[in-house]
Amino acid sequence: ETGVTQTPRHLVMGMTNKKSLKCEQHLGHNAMYWYKQSAKKPLELMFVYSLEERVENNSVPSRFSPECPNSSHLFLHLHTLQPEDSALYLCASSQKTGLRDYEQYFGPGTRLTVT
Amino acid sequence: DAKTTQPTSMDCAEGRAANLPCNHSTISGNEYVYWYRQIHSQGPQYIIHGLKNNETNEMASLIITEDRKSSTLILPHATLRDTAVYYCIVPRFSGYSTLTFGKGTMLLVSP
């Protein structure tokens, strides 16, 4: 138990569906992240939110839309996905104090399958 | 992030020490070395980090060479639950805390 929860844990969706992934952190952190991990590939950073402001968007297609309504919650809204978007989506949080930024705590991930 | 080089895989017997090496020859003087691990189908887990002195916590020890060009993560008494991919990361400060995960080392702990 890392203090970061993600729901749902598994999601199957069609290419025309709209769904959302939810992440919640109970650590009092002020930075949150979305990562994508495709099969047999390294983790790829998608988005960074610091103090609820999106500070990095790693050339992610617009069919992925993040939202950070407060420092404890992070969403990833999905629409018109492609089969190649099937992956493990991981949320992480950290306390932005300078050095400890890199001490990130990850949730268990959402296993997404696009059919 | 500074480039790191790790072996693709390692084996370790249960109860023995697991020593995982990492080369980071281009590390700068103020850059830290971070270690994470990822158990199959779970999120990565932070293990430890260090600058130049050796560090120890409840999970592992980190030994950094004097020239800081390499480091070793030590799991003193490996268990089956330590089977995971271990990542050595040297993040470059960019204003925002981005970690770049490479392929890491797959550690297999066997009975």
Side-chain angles (χ1 to χ4, degrees):
Chain A
E1 180 60 50
T2 63
V4 180
T5 58
Q6 291 187 242
T7 55
R9 295 292 309 277
H10 300 272
L11 177 62
V12 179
M13 60 185 288
M15 289 190 286
T16 58
N17 290 160
K18 290 184 179 181
K19 296 286 185 182
S20 296
L21 309 185
K22 179 183 176 182
C23 175
E24 184 173 359
Q25 59 96 0
H26 310 274
L27 301 169
H29 289 164
N30 57 13
M32 297 187 77
Y33 314 79
W34 279 117
Y35 289 85
K36 174 185 177 182
Q37 188 171 34
S38 303
K40 299 185 179 179
K41 288 187 178 180
L43 277 81
E44 303 170 61
L45 178 67
M46 299 176 73
F47 301 104
V48 180
Y49 274 84
S50 177
L51 301 172
E52 300 159 38
E53 176 186 350
R54 189 193 310 179
V55 295
E56 185 150 336
N57 176 346
N58 233 12
S59 302
V60 178
S62 60
R63 56 185 183 269
F64 295 91
S65 175
E67 178 189 2
C68 187
N70 55 60
S71 60
S72 299
H73 295 87
L74 185 65
F75 295 89
L76 187 63
H77 304 299
L78 317 171
H79 65 97
T80 58
L81 294 192
Q82 304 298 311
E84 59 265 29
D85 296 322
S86 298
L88 181 68
Y89 289 85
L90 291 155
C91 172
S93 71
S94 71
Q95 183 61 22
K96 186 168 178 57
T97 58
L99 184 59
R100 298 197 68 186
D101 294 4
Y102 302 104
E103 192 175 324
Q104 296 181 11
Y105 292 84
F106 286 77
T110 294
R111 175 71 62 186
L112 173 67
T113 302
V114 181
T115 61
Chain B
D1 293 356
K3 181 175 171 58
T4 61
T5 304
Q6 298 178 254
T8 302
S9 63
M10 294 183 66
D11 295 326
C12 180
E14 188 178 21
R16 304 297 293 267
N19 298 291
L20 294 99
C22 179
N23 286 323
H24 32 78
S25 59
T26 61
I27 193 170
S28 298
N30 61 349
E31 291 176 331
Y32 282 67
V33 181
Y34 281 74
W35 283 83
Y36 280 76
R37 73 179 182 183
Q38 186 175 21
I39 296 169
H40 182 61
S41 293
Q42 296 184 20
Q45 178 187 23
Y46 164 79
I47 301 173
I48 198 167
H49 72 275
L51 181 64
K52 59 177 72 173
N53 299 318
N54 298 339
E55 301 288 344
T56 296
N57 63 20
E58 65 278 3
M59 290 184 67
S61 294
L62 175 60
I63 308 298
I64 302 174
T65 58
E66 193 168 342
D67 64 7
R68 301 205 334 113
K69 293 184 177 182
S70 66
S71 61
T72 301
L73 180 75
I74 301 172
L75 308 178
H77 305 287
T79 70
L80 300 179
R81 285 176 295 182
D82 292 321
T83 292
V85 179
Y86 287 77
Y87 300 98
C88 168
I89 303 171
V90 178
R92 288 227 154 99
F93 180 69
S94 62
Y96 305 108
S97 328
T98 57
L99 292 170
T100 301
F101 288 81
K103 296 182 179 179
T105 296
M106 175 65 217
L107 175 68
L108 177 62
V109 181
S110 303

